[in-house]
Amino acid sequence: MLNVAGEISGDSWGIFAFLCAALCNLPAVPALNGTDELGTGQSIQKTYDLTRYLEHQLRTLAGTYLNYLGPPFNEPDFNPPRLAWAERVPSATVDFDLWRGLTDNARLAANYRAYSRLLCYLRGLDGQAGTAELRHSLGHFCSSLQGLVVSIAGVMSSLGYPLPAGTAAAAAGPPAPAGAPASPNDFLKKMDDFWLLKELQTWLWRSAKDFNRLKKKVPPAVVTLRLEAQGF
Amino acid sequence: MLALLLLCLRLLRAEPLAYPAVISPQDPTLLIGSSLTATCTVSADSRLRAEDLYWTLNGRRLPAASYAALGATTLSVALARLNGSKQQSGDNLVCHSRDGGILAGSCLYVGLPPEKPVNISCWSKNMKDLTCKWAPGTEGETFLHTNYTLKYKLRWYGRDNTCQEYHTAGPYSCHIPKDLALFTPYEIWVEASNRLGVAVSDVVMLDILDVVTTDPPADVHVSRVGDLEDQLSVRWSSPPALKDFLFQAKYQIQYRVEDSSEWKVVDDVGNQTSCRLAGLRPGTVYFVQVRCNPFGIYGSKKAGIWSDWSNPTAASTPRSERAAGGCEPKGGEQNTTLRRELKQFFGWVKKHAYGCSNLSIKLYDQWRVWLQKSHKTRNQVLPGDKL
């Protein structure tokens, strides 16, 4: 189970210890669900594939949306200041060593929180924006993004991690425009939209690496024990 | 005192780099051809001065000749005879610091007020709903996002209703799915609005029963008419949804040869549910379609609206016998000749041979001799006469 190439993080030790304890108490353990062996590995792979797909979809969507915003937003090296509200969009950029040292739980939780918020803000994008075609592409992308959020939740639950508090509503569905504070003017809103798309791109790029890492650390041979709540 | 100072500092810090400068007017709406003077004022705690600033519009730097400093921290720019906005999200007028950094921006909405929408046409599918479409006035280029709202009300009473389902039959269309009344005319109009104003179309008055359309006829069957090479029989049933109301419905048939794109239309089918196509080419595959017009439904005196054509049904006319050339013409000829001869032989046997008891090849030869003799006497025997 702990077929790790590098160091073993704290969480993995915990799982190991837990497993030992569980095995020692085998007669008391209700059921070893063997079919979950492949489940987690496949979920992680599926989530990885989803991030690549979304990355591809976003390239087209972002291009169209930035053209709608007009120059200079659609210029290749455009780099406006990140103003107050834009800072509330969760940033994917993180110190490399910090990123490397993340526990599986923390890694997954960061992804889950980020996409839940990004989805919320994306849904709040101007409902009247541009052509019907653009609105349709946006809608389609939001659905796919919701799929990613659900997929991450699935991986977390199959590994026994609780979902981060307060983000459950985002995965549930309907847009919560109240979650996206209104920009004081149209130009600032354009800049916020720009940074939203930028962060989305960066997150999808980073998530691919996150899930690639998880794939290696949690091979298909992990046995997930489904136990009743008593004592464990 | 100290507390007050701290409070002030706290307030100042509440808007750190959020708004390094302020543009006025912020996000204005303007008519095409109008002029604008905009100002950019850097915030008090910035070290920038008016001479450190410059303007761009949609990413293109504006000429310094149009700038004017209105104080130490304010730079203005004059824009004359503005063209329609490059994108519907507004032109981007941006105030930059010397190094190119963005300090503030304003979205300019330059365009025209909407024109009256025109050409409103509506149709009801099976009297259950109403779909209307219209065209924007002029070519629709107002440079600003224009919102269209379709409204309707019963002619003599009732309040205004607003259509909710848009774009069902193209970009300028709306669908009213239910709660429609029959036998009372409706007033229908479209309102177009954008940032510069509102325009209302003329009111169209219609009775749902006058604009009814239906599904194409069902169960279209095309079959041959016995051996007739130039005819096909077409049969169908009236569209199921209005089956009980289509007493005066009209039908139309169109057909074409398999490898042609030219349709022939049969117009005078009336309200029968079958028709015979004649004058067709033998041995050819034909495609046939039928459509229905619910004319006179519920006593409406107006023509309804033709349904879509049914899916094409194919059938072929029988191949002509004569046309089967190249087979065995000699064989045919021989058969006919032999038959004729036999007939004549039997006739002679009856007369001269007292029944068929001694029917043999000898008798046949005798008859042939007799035949030759009678030919000689009746006609001139020519050389090469058949023996």
Side-chain angles (χ1 to χ4, degrees):
Chain A
M1 180 201 114
L2 294 178
N3 179 21
V4 204
E7 71 270 85
I8 297 170
S9 66
D11 253 24
S12 302
W13 271 119
I15 294 175
F16 184 53
F18 165 77
L19 215 88
C20 281
L23 286 168
C24 291
N25 289 298
L26 212 48
V29 170
L32 269 175
N33 202 339
T35 59
D36 278 357
E37 277 182 14
L38 296 172
T40 310
Q42 275 181 351
S43 290
I44 295 177
Q45 179 63 44
K46 197 181 83 155
T47 313
Y48 172 83
D49 293 338
L50 248 176
T51 63
R52 301 313 304 270
Y53 169 70
L54 279 164
E55 204 188 328
H56 174 79
Q57 243 194 307
L58 184 61
R59 246 175 269 149
T60 316
L61 178 64
T64 314
Y65 196 82
L66 292 177
N67 280 338
Y68 166 70
L69 295 184
F73 293 94
N74 57 356
E75 277 159 16
D77 46 5
F78 186 56
N79 189 20
R82 285 195 71 153
L83 301 180
W85 181 76
E87 280 160 11
R88 276 175 240 166
V89 172
S91 181
T93 337
V94 67
D95 173 69
F96 179 68
D97 288 320
L98 206 74
W99 176 79
R100 221 158 122 260
L102 283 174
T103 63
D104 295 344
N105 190 2
R107 192 179 298 282
L108 285 163
N111 272 267
Y112 184 82
R113 258 188 244 108
Y115 288 118
S116 302
R117 288 250 290 279
L118 288 166
L119 180 60
C120 194
Y121 294 147
L122 206 62
R123 282 185 173 136
L125 270 187
D126 190 0
Q128 301 280 14
T131 60
E133 205 183 310
L134 178 58
R135 288 196 295 274
H136 182 79
S137 300
L138 260 170
H140 181 58
F141 187 84
C142 281
S143 303
S144 308
L145 191 57
Q146 174 158 12
L148 178 61
V149 172
V150 168
S151 198
I152 298 174
V155 172
M156 290 186 84
S157 89
S158 79
L159 286 174
Y161 300 136
L163 289 181
T167 47
S183 309
N185 67 52
D186 293 351
F187 188 80
L188 284 175
K189 172 142 202 324
K190 284 195 180 184
M191 291 216 283
D192 289 338
D193 291 352
F194 175 87
W195 278 114
L196 177 60
L197 292 172
K198 216 25 167 221
E199 273 306 336
L200 207 38
Q201 281 176 328
T202 317
W203 261 110
L204 288 168
W205 180 80
R206 170 184 151 169
S207 292
K209 301 200 181 321
D210 278 324
F211 286 99
N212 219 10
R213 199 174 174 80
L214 281 165
K215 252 195 297 186
K216 296 180 187 140
K217 284 186 78 193
V218 186
V222 163
V223 172
T224 307
L225 301 179
R226 289 253 183 90
L227 300 169
E228 300 300 317
Q230 303 89 343
F232 291 96
Chain B
M1 181 59 185
L2 193 64
L4 199 63
L5 195 65
L6 281 172
L7 185 65
C8 285
L9 280 172
R10 281 262 299 280
L11 284 171
L12 276 174
R13 272 184 44 104
E15 295 188 351
L17 290 163
Y19 313 116
V22 170
I23 289 187
S24 174
Q26 182 69 57
D27 310 331
T29 304
L30 305 149
L31 215 48
I32 286 187
S34 49
S35 301
L36 174 74
T37 303
T39 62
C40 176
T41 307
V42 285
S43 61
D45 56 355
S46 163
R47 280 179 289 121
L48 293 165
R49 296 281 153 247
E51 52 267 23
D52 302 319
L53 311 174
Y54 71 91
W55 293 92
T56 61
L57 180 63
N58 288 328
R60 312 254 294 287
R61 191 164 181 149
L62 291 168
S66 55
Y67 302 169
L70 304 177
T73 54
T74 304
L75 182 71
S76 78
V77 66
L79 301 160
R81 289 183 303 279
L82 290 163
N83 288 325
S85 284
K86 195 169 185 291
Q87 54 274 340
Q88 284 196 350
S89 63
D91 290 323
N92 300 311
L93 179 66
V94 183
C95 175
H96 300 257
S97 62
R98 200 194 293 273
D99 60 0
I102 292 179
L103 300 171
S106 177
C107 294
L108 309 182
Y109 301 97
V110 188
L112 298 164
E115 300 247 335
K116 269 181 19 171
V118 293
N119 298 345
I120 300 179
S121 71
C122 303
W123 63 93
S124 169
K125 189 87 180 288
N126 301 324
M127 300 180 291
K128 290 239 160 41
D129 62 9
L130 191 68
T131 307
C132 293
K133 68 178 206 276
W134 61 90
T138 63
E139 255 81 75
E141 185 53 279
T142 54
F143 301 96
L144 303 171
H145 172 74
T146 306
N147 235 344
Y148 293 91
T149 311
L150 182 99
K151 295 204 175 152
Y152 59 102
K153 70 184 270 288
L154 284 164
R155 188 173 185 201
W156 293 298
Y157 50 101
R159 43 178 183 72
D160 291 0
N161 298 294
T162 308
C163 179
Q164 307 289 340
E165 291 174 30
Y166 289 86
H167 319 300
T168 51
Y172 305 108
S173 66
C174 196
H175 176 242
I176 305 165
K178 57 190 176 114
D179 299 332
L180 288 166
L182 302 176
F183 309 115
T184 308
Y186 271 94
E187 291 183 353
I188 300 176
W189 66 99
V190 180
E191 292 176 11
S193 76
N194 67 19
R195 285 168 187 266
L196 281 170
V198 181
V200 182
S201 71
D202 293 333
V203 174
V204 158
M205 202 134 59
L206 57 80
D207 196 320
I208 304 281
L209 291 177
D210 290 338
V211 293
V212 179
T213 186
T214 184
D215 309 292
D219 307 322
V220 179
H221 291 299
V222 185
S223 47
R224 294 180 176 182
V225 184
D227 283 331
L228 295 174
E229 306 154 354
D230 65 337
Q231 295 188 16
L232 284 173
S233 161
V234 190
R235 265 186 179 64
W236 59 89
S237 15
S238 58
L242 298 181
K243 204 157 33 89
D244 302 326
F245 309 112
L246 293 170
F247 315 115
Q248 292 179 279
K250 294 206 235 172
Y251 295 95
Q252 236 182 25
I253 303 177
Q254 72 174 5
Y255 63 95
R256 67 175 172 85
V257 191
E258 183 175 16
D259 43 10
S260 155
S261 55
E262 222 182 278
W263 291 97
K264 263 213 169 87
V265 179
V266 181
D267 228 335
D268 47 0
V269 183
N271 71 339
Q272 308 304 313
T273 55
S274 64
C275 178
R276 216 189 258 197
L277 303 173
L280 306 176
R281 248 194 281 154
T284 321
V285 176
Y286 282 89
F287 290 145
V288 181
Q289 293 180 304
V290 193
R291 66 177 180 176
C292 176
N293 183 323
F295 180 72
I297 200 154
Y298 276 133
S300 158
K301 297 205 175 39
K302 297 226 178 101
I305 298 173
W306 286 104
S307 72
D308 288 334
W309 290 103
S310 63
N311 282 331
T313 310
S316 62
T317 45
R319 200 168 272 280
S320 139
E321 291 243 342
R322 263 167 279 126
C327 277
E328 279 166 78
K330 289 207 180 96
E333 257 180 89
Q334 268 179 0
N335 284 342
T336 330
T337 316
L338 179 63
R339 198 171 181 276
R340 226 186 307 131
E341 265 194 29
L342 271 173
K343 231 174 135 179
Q344 288 170 335
F345 174 56
F346 288 137
W348 180 84
V349 162
K350 251 165 83 176
K351 255 164 101 173
H352 301 278
Y354 312 107
C356 297
S357 45
N358 40 350
L359 199 63
S360 66
I361 197 68
K362 249 181 148 167
L363 200 62
Y364 178 75
D365 290 344
Q366 267 183 298
W367 173 69
R368 295 236 35 171
V369 168
W370 176 88
L371 206 59
Q372 219 183 344
K373 277 198 197 134
S374 64
H375 264 153
K376 267 193 181 140
T377 52
R378 265 191 270 151
N379 318 306
Q380 286 284 341
V381 177
L382 299 160
D385 209 5
K386 51 178 185 279
L387 277 159

